[in-house]
Amino acid sequence: MLSSLRSILIATCPCALGLATPSALSCAVAHLNSHGILLKRADVLEQINKIDSVALDKTGTLTEGKFTLAECICLENQEKDHYLEIAASLEQFSSHPIADAFSEYPNNFSVTEFESFVAQGIAGFIEGEYFRLGSAKFIGLDIPTQLQTCHLFLATTKKIYSGFILKDKIRSSSFGLIKRFQSKHLTLLSGDGATVVQHVAETLHIPNWLAQQTPADKLSFIQTAQHQNHKVLMIGDGINDGPVLAQADVSITLGAGSDLAKSSADVILLDNSLDKVSTLLALAKRCKRKIIQNFAWALGYNLLILPLAVTGNLSPWIAVIGMSLSSLVVVLNSIRLLK
C-alpha cells in the first residue's frame, strides 16, 4: 500500500505541466534575441496571435526618416535664399528628423524664444518677428494655390512666406510588412499633411489613412478600436508615438527610434528591419503550437500513468523514470524553437 502511494505521488508530480509554458516561452525569446528582436514582455508571443487591427506610423517607420529638401517655393517678389535661411536657422534647434533636410543651408539668423510643438512644428523670434515653421494645421492660415503641393510652411502670425517640398524614401521592408498584414484592419496614422500621407498609403496599398494626427488623436484612435473589442498592434518610432505605443495591446518600435518609443514599446527591432516582424509573427504561432503540444503530452502522460499507479502496477522507481522522461520530452520539444 505504501509503495502504491509513493508511486501515485511520484507519477502525478506536475513537473511536465509546470514546464510546458515557461520552457517554450524561454526558447522562443532566446531565438528572437539571437535575431535582433528584443521582447520586453513574454506574453507578447501570446497576445500577438490575437491581433486583428494594425496601426502604423509613417515617418521613420514605413519611411527611412531621412528627409531631403526637394524644393523651396516662395510667393511673388520674395527672396528664396532669405526665407530658406530663416527656416534653416529655426531648424538648427529642432530634434525632429526634418531638421536634417535644412542642415546644409546657411543658418546665420539669431533665434530667440525657440519653441517646439510635438507633431506640429517649431517657432521662434528672428529680428523681432515671430516665425512659425510647420504643417498647414500648425500655421493656421489659408494656403495659397502655388503652395498647395508643399509639406512644410514658413509664416508669421499673419502671412505665409514660403513652402517646402520634402522627400523621404519608403523603406524597402515596408512593402513586405504591409503584405504580411493584408488580412488585418490596416490604418496609417501620421502627423503629416494629407497629400504626403495619401501618397505613402497608396504606394504601399494601405486602405485606411489619417493625416495631421496629434499624439492625442493617435491615442484616441487606438482607444476607440479597443473599446470596439479589437486587439491592436501599433508600430511606431517617434517621441509622439510614446503614448500610443504604451496603449496598444502589442507595440513594436525600431532600434533607431526615440528613447521614449523604446521605453513604451513591447518589442524592439534592433537592426531597424521591418522584415523581422514576420519572424516575430511566425515564431509566436510556433510557440503557441509547442505550448499546446507540451500540455497535451503532460496531461496524456498523467492520464496514462495514474491508473497504473492506483492499481499497484507501477513501482516507485519506474514512476521516477516516467516522470523524468515526461519532463525531458517537454523540454526537448520546446528546444526545437531555438532552430
Side-chain angles (χ1 to χ4, degrees), residues 260-273:
L260 180 58
K262 286 186 281 191
S263 66
S264 302
D266 303 314
V267 182
I268 301 175
L269 307 179
L270 298 178
D271 62 358
N272 304 313
S273 174

Side-chain angles (χ1 to χ4, degrees), residues 16 39 56 78 91 112 124-125 135-136 155 194 235 237 241 252 256 266 272 275 297 304 329:
L39 267 64
L56 303 158
Q78 293 182 348
E91 287 288 4
T112 59
F125 283 91
S135 65
I235 305 179
D237 77 312
D241 294 321
I252 300 174
D266 303 314
N272 304 313
D275 291 331
W297 168 259
L304 177 65
V329 168

Side-chain angles (χ1 to χ4, degrees), residues 151-170:
H151 308 138
L152 207 63
F153 304 93
L154 177 68
T156 58
T157 54
K158 296 181 179 180
K159 182 179 179 179
I160 295 179
Y161 288 95
S162 61
F164 304 93
I165 298 177
L166 304 174
K167 287 185 178 180
D168 186 13
K169 185 179 179 181
I170 296 175

